[in-house]
Amino acid sequence: MNTKEIGEIRRHLRRDRSNITAIYGCYVNDAHQIVSESRLSTGMMPENEGEKYFAILRRCLSGTQGKNLIDLTFRTAQVTEGAEHKLLMDLRQSKLEDEELRGQFFRKVMDSLELEGSYLILLGCDTYDVPFKSKDGEGQADRSEESYTYLICAICPVKQPKPGLCYDPEKQEFHDGGLRSTVGMPELGFLFPAFDDRSTNIYNALYYNHSPKENYETFVDTVFHTPVPKPAFEQKQSFEALLGDSLGEQCSMEVVQAVQSELVQQIELHKESKVPEPLLINKEQVKEVLTGCGIAEDKLAKFSVEFDEAFGFDAEVHPKNIIDNKRMAIRTPDVTIQVDPAKADLVETRVIGGVKYLLINAEENVEVNGVNIHIGE
């Protein structure tokens, strides 16, 4: 799915637009036991409560593609005879009204998910009459050629606030309010099937993951039985490690700056172009930058091998997952310097009298502990 398709479903996923008649819930406590199951009629909900439920479901269609929103692909054999895919299709076919199927799904989630504390599983089933769009991109809301029926799932932590005194408006006094559990925004969730080319694609699902450090691999394997990429945090660590290891003594600050500068530029150009498909880069694009920096052939070959080992053969990765496009961080055991990538040339390395130094251009205002200081001639 691309950004336009995700946005289209997200805009539709509102109480006054969607065709979700009920939201099903399963409350699991911190001992991994089901406390309760519920069926909440969206038509009977108070307005503010309904908005909160739909806001939770919409959150599973938000974030950065490749980092928070990940396309999962089923193999053909799974679609034809896989138990995981069949359960999702059966849930969709029944529009979640089959209690036994819901229970089976809730137990699979509970048995595979390791979340700290209690959590709430929310499930909804919606049918979207996809408006026809002409070649010039103009939509025709009164004309639809397809109905897209999908499941939306959100898994949310349930938190207990600290006890405190609460205001009682009737008594106009503060008293102990007790403990009332509250539902947080989703930690993970999914959309199935995918909405590709504005049409139903039962070979794909869109997986939502809030944390850049965790991908809940066991959950994905149990529910979808399909591989999930490394978390974005691990991808960044892997890229940094392979860059330093493969280039060895040729891995200078100038080389790292050149790689980051090229990827930041591609991210900016992609953003300006407003192309809905996510930006992906491969090892050959990085090798072009390294070649331009004069990296030796043997080190380029080592980089190529280690890239395949870290990310997979002919893999494409999201550049935001392997660099920080907002800052460049330079660290020694005792000092950390953070620089806007666009101003990376303000910092350079130098050897003076046999001692290695980091030099920072300090022509503009310099502050120490918030105090403007003067640097003598």
Side-chain angles (χ1 to χ4, degrees), residues 5 8 133 151 153 176 289 360-361:
E5 292 158 350
E8 183 172 351
K133 277 192 177 181
L151 304 176
C153 175
D176 184 6
V289 180
I360 305 172
N361 186 313

Side-chain angles (χ1 to χ4, degrees), residues 74-89:
F74 294 96
R75 300 184 306 277
T76 301
Q78 286 182 279
V79 174
T80 56
E81 55 187 26
E84 295 81 13
H85 190 273
K86 184 178 186 304
L87 176 58
L88 294 172
M89 289 294 287

Side-chain angles (χ1 to χ4, degrees), residues 11-25:
R11 288 189 296 273
H12 173 74
L13 195 55
R14 295 181 179 274
R15 188 182 180 191
D16 58 346
R17 297 179 186 176
S18 83
N19 294 301
I20 295 178
T21 57
I23 296 175
Y24 296 88

Side-chain angles (χ1 to χ4, degrees), residues 181-254:
S181 300
T182 58
V183 179
M185 281 296 167
E187 186 64 28
L188 65 160
F190 66 85
L191 175 84
F192 173 84
F195 185 59
D196 287 325
D197 295 325
R198 304 187 70 241
S199 184
T200 303
N201 178 7
I202 64 171
Y203 284 81
N204 279 67
L206 185 68
Y207 171 55
Y208 169 78
N209 182 7
H210 172 71
S211 173
K213 296 185 178 181
E214 175 64 76
N215 63 2
Y216 301 103
E217 189 174 352
T218 304
F219 166 83
V220 174
D221 182 62
T222 301
V223 175
F224 304 100
H225 196 50
T226 186
V228 61
K230 290 180 181 180
F233 180 75
E234 285 187 24
Q235 290 186 42
K236 186 171 183 290
Q237 285 188 322
S238 296
F239 184 74
E240 292 167 349
L242 77 89
L243 200 62
D245 180 65
S246 60
L247 304 189
E249 70 280 0
Q250 284 195 287
C251 189
S252 65
M253 188 162 78
E254 290 73 22

Side-chain angles (χ1 to χ4, degrees), residues 258-312:
V259 171
Q260 183 175 29
S261 177
E262 172 63 23
L263 296 184
V264 167
Q265 185 178 11
Q266 289 197 33
I267 291 170
E268 291 301 318
L269 289 173
H270 183 265
K271 183 178 179 181
E272 291 172 8
S273 69
K274 297 183 179 179
V275 175
E277 282 71 26
L279 174 64
L280 297 171
I281 60 110
N282 55 42
K283 68 180 179 185
E284 297 303 326
Q285 291 168 281
V286 180
K287 283 172 66 178
E288 283 184 20
V289 180
L290 299 178
T291 301
C293 294
I295 300 299
E297 285 295 329
D298 62 323
K299 297 189 183 302
L300 290 173
K302 187 176 182 183
F303 170 83
S304 183
V305 171
E306 293 191 7
F307 188 98
D308 289 343
E309 290 176 351
F311 297 101

